[in-house]
Each structure stands twice: as structure tokens, then as C-alpha cells.
Amino acid sequence: MKLDVNVLRYLSKDDFRVLTAVEMGMRNHELVPAELVERIASLKHGGTYKVLKNLLKYKLLHHDSSRYDGFRLTYLGYDFLAIKTMVNRGVFSAVGRQIGVGKESDIFEVAQEDGTVLAMKLHRLGRTSFRAVKSKRDYLRHRSSYNWLYLSRLAALKEFAFMKALEEHEFPVPKAIDCNRHCVIMSLVQGYPLVQVKQLQNPETVFEKILGIVVRLAEHGLIHCDFNEFNIMIDDEEDITMIDFPQMVSVSHRNAQMYFDRDVECIFKFFRKRFNMTFQEDKGDSDETEEVDAADDSGRLSFSEIAKSAGALDKELEASGFTRKEQNDLDKFIENGLEKGEDSGNEESEDEEEQTSESNEENLSGFNSFQEKNSNNHVVDDDNHEKGQSGGSEDEDESDEEEEGIELAKRLNKQRRRAMAAVRGGRRNSSRNSYKDKGGRSSQNSKIQKRLKDW
Ligand code: ADP
Ligand code: MG
């Protein structure tokens, strides 16, 4: 799916009002019947059906009449709602080119009025089409889309909260700027993903910097869980920025040691392979387990030692953004994936490398500005709108979400597992802002009216 933001400029207030009405309807409906859209949108001069047709034409909505007649948002529709909200808030005023494609996200440049360029990450959980998932997804077809939106929103929320907290503790991460729906706005990293770098001036120094981050994270109570050459950016000064946080866990997680070791192993493996670095444990053929244990005893990089004195950033974060249910929903598929994920080769990671290879070319032309159209819009308070995106009927949806979560988990963690599978031999001896999300339908009507008023 292509994000053609030009369309945004042709959308009227009524178009957005109807799009928002469909989003609201999706809290309680997989497919929102046209009558309900009409009722929620309550356009002054009518014409909801015509607007629906227009939105369908631009692929912002999907029409489904297989079970009953109704509409649902597409990812593109969801993108537009998030982008529009951000533009109205004054976060940015133009969308530029795509600079990254992750398996579960698309990254674009966006520009502010003063020319500052930022990065916009649109989370797309469930987008990938791994074979193993396909049949399951077909089976879940009629109800899956709505959960993809929900899970993508949670991933964005978590990423934003973690990025902010990490920045406050002076970790080298992009600056978290804003978050809405499945969209996170952050500073643009001036650098390249490490995977694209063939040569370094000081590979040892870079290696140490990177491992130092893993250790410091653990000291703060956190494990990245996807710490590899795709999620480490490096600039011309060989300074490091880490990105991609939706899968981070606390050091008190039951698999914490394994995740920590795996993050460390990925770094070792990459530096060994790419920069021909050799490490102490590469030399000699002494029994590996013994060596690792000895390393622990000698006080070198040891998870148990680090975790013992861990700070409480993990606890802070737990308390910051999510409701308990949201946290469980997201954790569920992350953990399920780790337990049941599939192993395979590294090809798809290589694809990712190809696709992101243009990331750092300077090309700031081609921004699509919305300023003209949106300059008079007032700021939309969007904090409320997403309540209950998980569905008004949470109980009945829970098992569905669980089921889908298993599949989502597999995909989310596939890249990690591939890295794991490729690494043999343990190596561990070397070196939110407050989102009020209370759900609840009682006050929904007034919120709907408030939000619609703002469009
Ligand atoms: P995913 O979760 O899908 O892996 P990432 O956050 O890792 O998404 O981003 C995918 C790619 O987009 C990265 O490898 C990088 O090339 C690019 N990217 C992401 N965030 C930024 C940023 N803040 N600045 C510059 N490039 C970025
Ligand atoms: Mg990534």
C-alpha cells in the first residue's frame, strides 16, 4: 500500500468527519454500517453516502458486504487521520519521502514550517505476509483488520513512552516529539543503519559504545530485545543512536536473561562477521559453558550482576502510559512470538537493508505541504478519541485478540529469532507522557461530538 499524501489535500472537512465517524464506529463494530456512520457523522447537509463513496475511491475505507454491509478503515485511512491530527496540532506541515521500511512499520520524513525535518514512524502490525500467517489470516479475515489498528496503536504508544523515558536518562535515542494513533513523530537521525556500514574507523570503539548501551539499559532495568545492526544508527563521527522500541522488556521479565544474551550475541556476531573482529572467546577451543561461567565469576559482562543493581526505569514506564489491559495485549503477542516463533534464514533482513539503503541521501524536495489547507484548523484534542479502540465489547474480543496475538507475535519476533538462530554459542562475557485511556462508553457521545466539532 502506498501512502499518497497528495490525496489529503483534496479531502474536505466532511470527508474527515465521515472517516472519523467510521473510526469511532469501529470501537464496537468490525464493520460499521452506513446508517451508523451517518448517525455519528451527522453532516449538516447530509450526503454521507456520497462522502463514503469518495473515501472508498481513495482507499481510505474498505467496503465489505460478505456478512453484513459495512465499512472499515484501511491503514491508509488510519494514516490520514493520524497525519491530519498531527498537522492540526502543528507538529509538522508536510510529508516527504519514505526513508525506511521495517517489517512492521513505514518511516517517512516530515517537515515543519521552519524547514526542520523529522521522522514519522507509522506502525503496521500485521502487515507482513509471512506464509505461516497467511492461512490463519485468511481464517481471521473478517475481523483481523480492526485488531491490527489497535495493536499498531499500542506499539506506537509504547515506543513513544520508551523513547521519551530513554531520552530523559540520556540514552542516545531520537527525540520523541509526538504520538497519535499508530504514528510516532521523532527527530530524524543523521546517520545510517549500521547494517549499511561496510567500514569503520574505529570498530573497537564503536563495538564498546554499543555494548555499553546494552549494559546501561540493563542497569536501568530494561532490555531492548531487538538490538541488532538494523536498529542501531551510526553517523559520520561514529556516534550511535538506537531506535525501535516497541518490544523492550523489563529485566524482571522471566526471559530477561535470554533476551539480554541474545542482544549481546547479535552485536558480537555482527562485528565478528562484518569487521573481522575477534574476541577472547573466539580463541582456543575451551569448553564454552565453562568460559562463560568463568567470565561471570571474573565480574565481566554478566546479566545477573547487572540486573541485581538495576534502576527502576522499567517500573516507571509500567506506570506511565498503558492501562493494564493494553500492556497485556501487547505483551501477549510479543511473548507468544518468542515461544512459538519460526526460525529461518536471514533473507528478509537483507531485503530490509536494500529497502532502507537510501535513508541518508539528502533530498528534501518533494514534501507535500498541507499548510494552506490546514492553516486555519484548530487544534484537535485527540487524547480521548482512541479510548475503546480495542472494542467496546472487550470480553468477547479477548479470545480473538489472543488468537491473533500468537500470529502477530511470531512475525514481530521473527527477525530476532533469525538472528538468534544464526548465532551459535552463548556470548555474554565481553565486553509516556500520561495517556489517559480509560475507555468507557458512557461519555462517548459527548467525546464524539467534541471531536467532530474540531474537524
Ligand atoms: P521497524 O520497527 O519496522 O523495524 P524501525 O524503527 O527499526 O522500524 O525503522 C526502520 C528503518 O527506518 C530504520 O532501519 C532506519 O533506517 C529508518 N529510521 C527509523 N527511525 C528513524 C529516524 N528517527 N531517523 C532516521 N531514520 C530512521
Ligand atoms: Mg527495526
Side-chain angles (χ1 to χ4, degrees), residues 313-340:
L313 191 47
D314 54 338
K315 298 281 174 315
E316 274 173 45
L317 276 160
E318 258 171 41
S320 73
F322 294 121
T323 63
R324 178 58 55 189
K325 179 181 184 311
E326 287 175 333
Q327 220 159 81
N328 289 344
D329 284 348
L330 197 60
D331 289 351
K332 223 187 289 171
F333 73 75
I334 286 175
E335 287 180 28
N336 278 330
L338 290 170
E339 282 155 21
K340 302 182 189 182

Side-chain angles (χ1 to χ4, degrees), residues 152-392:
S152 294
R153 181 177 71 79
L154 292 192
L157 199 56
K158 179 170 177 184
E159 177 144 81
F160 185 72
F162 275 64
M163 209 185 309
K164 227 174 159 53
L166 290 170
E167 182 199 338
E168 278 160 19
H169 287 79
E170 292 174 358
F171 279 91
V173 295
K175 185 171 173 45
I177 297 190
D178 205 349
C179 173
N180 178 260
R181 297 177 172 86
H182 61 322
C183 171
V184 177
I185 306 294
M186 61 187 121
S187 62
L188 186 73
V189 178
Q190 300 298 331
Y192 321 81
L194 189 59
V195 68
Q196 292 173 15
V197 175
K198 306 293 177 211
Q199 256 187 337
L200 288 173
Q201 301 277 357
N202 299 299
E204 286 83 8
T205 315
V206 174
F207 174 82
E208 273 162 27
K209 270 187 207 169
I210 290 174
L211 269 197
I213 294 172
V214 184
V215 172
R216 211 157 73 76
L217 270 181
E219 283 170 353
H220 280 75
L222 293 171
I223 303 168
H224 186 285
C225 287
D226 202 4
F227 202 70
N228 56 43
E229 61 274 24
F230 295 95
N231 292 327
I232 296 169
M233 309 282 284
I234 184 162
D235 65 15
D236 291 338
E237 272 67 56
E238 305 198 337
D239 283 331
I240 298 301
T241 307
M242 80 174 148
I243 57 169
D244 204 357
F245 313 105
Q247 67 294 313
M248 287 183 79
V249 301
S250 157
V251 289
S252 58
H253 189 283
R254 64 194 152 80
N255 292 327
Q257 166 102 48
M258 188 268 277
Y259 298 152
F260 177 84
D261 288 348
R262 194 180 50 188
D263 277 358
V264 173
E265 283 163 8
C266 285
I267 303 307
F268 268 82
K269 177 174 185 260
F270 179 73
F271 276 80
R272 196 182 281 123
K273 212 173 143 195
R274 178 71 55 93
F275 305 112
N276 297 318
M277 281 175 64
T278 53
F279 302 99
Q280 209 181 339
E281 65 267 32
D282 296 334
K283 297 170 192 155
D285 51 6
S286 62
D287 177 71
E288 207 164 73
T289 317
E290 251 175 50
E291 200 181 320
V292 168
D293 288 341
D296 283 356
D297 291 342
S298 73
R300 279 182 290 171
L301 187 55
S302 144
F303 176 70
S304 49
E305 284 304 310
I306 297 166
K308 238 185 262 174
S309 57
L313 191 47
D314 54 338
K315 298 281 174 315
E316 274 173 45
L317 276 160
E318 258 171 41
S320 73
F322 294 121
T323 63
R324 178 58 55 189
K325 179 181 184 311
E326 287 175 333
Q327 220 159 81
N328 289 344
D329 284 348
L330 197 60
D331 289 351
K332 223 187 289 171
F333 73 75
I334 286 175
E335 287 180 28
N336 278 330
L338 290 170
E339 282 155 21
K340 302 182 189 182
E342 320 139 294
D343 287 329
S344 72
N346 232 351
E347 313 85 63
E348 281 171 34
S349 299
E350 299 295 336
D351 287 352
E352 190 174 335
E353 176 180 359
E354 298 277 314
Q355 286 164 340
T356 56
S357 62
E358 287 182 288
S359 304
N360 292 282
E361 281 166 25
E362 282 290 328
N363 173 14
L364 305 185
S365 61
F367 277 93
N368 291 292
S369 170
F370 313 115
Q371 201 45 45
E372 217 177 309
K373 177 121 192 162
N374 292 301
S375 55
N376 294 322
N377 288 339
H378 40 150
V379 172
V380 176
D381 172 8
D382 234 40
D383 281 1
N384 291 327
H385 100 279
E386 323 210 22
K387 295 183 174 82
Q389 174 86 32
S390 59

Side-chain angles (χ1 to χ4, degrees), residues 430-444:
S430 167
S431 88
R432 158 171 63 155
N433 61 355
S434 188
Y435 281 79
K436 300 187 202 88
D437 209 339
K438 300 190 188 87
R441 269 173 285 171
S442 55
S443 54
Q444 195 164 305

